[in-house]
Amino acid sequence: PKHAVQISGKGLERGRLGKVSPIFVKVTNESKEPVDLDVDLIQVTAELKHPIHPTVVKITVQKSNLGEYVVRYLPQQEGDYKVTVVVDGDTITEKVVPWRDPFGNVFDIPIDPTKVLLLDLPIDVETPHINLLAGGPGLREAQLHR
């Protein structure tokens, strides 16, 4: 590699449709001094592994400080994206990053049990099947079965 590169950010871990996930890129030389690169030398691709239909991912790279860059990307389709970061011709990482729809399957997102309100709870111990209606901040109503 031509430079020492550190990358971090939620954009390398996971994403939610409708919300930008950033990737932070820090470039230094052998003396650990910041390297000022043209933003065109920071290239990031996000490719959907199994597209339902063709998708374009808008990716922007901005310089935040000397040797520091912020990459923002926002997929429009749920799925697993292969994210590749290339700096000055050197591939730094290739990771699979899951992007989910927060209003899709409610079981794919973390639920805070202290914020769930159970409504209309007719519990009959003789009935093996109980319908529950759940709702709360950040959740849309859902039908749960046990």
Side-chain angles (χ1 to χ4, degrees), residues 37-117:
L37 295 176
D38 189 281
V39 292
D40 292 338
L41 293 176
I42 313 290
Q43 299 170 339
V44 177
T45 58
E47 178 185 337
L48 185 58
K49 289 181 69 172
H50 304 287
I52 296 170
H53 51 79
T55 183
V56 174
V57 179
K58 182 179 179 182
I59 299 173
T60 61
V61 179
Q62 294 177 317
K63 190 179 296 188
S64 61
N65 288 311
L66 183 65
E68 296 179 9
Y69 307 84
V70 179
V71 178
R72 291 179 178 88
Y73 72 111
L74 181 61
Q76 301 297 312
Q77 185 176 332
E78 185 174 39
D80 295 328
Y81 286 79
K82 182 174 109 177
V83 176
T84 305
V85 178
V86 176
V87 175
D88 200 9
D90 293 323
T91 300
I92 305 304
T93 191
E94 287 185 338
K95 289 186 85 169
V96 175
V97 179
W99 278 77
R100 300 294 179 250
D101 181 354
F103 300 107
N105 184 349
V106 295
F107 298 106
D108 282 349
I109 60 175
I111 297 175
D112 180 351
T114 65
K115 303 226 185 314
V116 174
L117 174 64

Side-chain angles (χ1 to χ4, degrees), residues 130-131 133:
I130 300 172
N131 286 328
L133 184 62

Side-chain angles (χ1 to χ4, degrees), residues 118-133 146:
L118 297 178
L119 307 170
D120 298 329
L121 187 56
I123 297 179
D124 178 358
V125 292
E126 301 297 320
T127 307
H129 183 83
I130 300 172
N131 286 328
L132 302 176
L133 184 62
R146 180 173 79 151

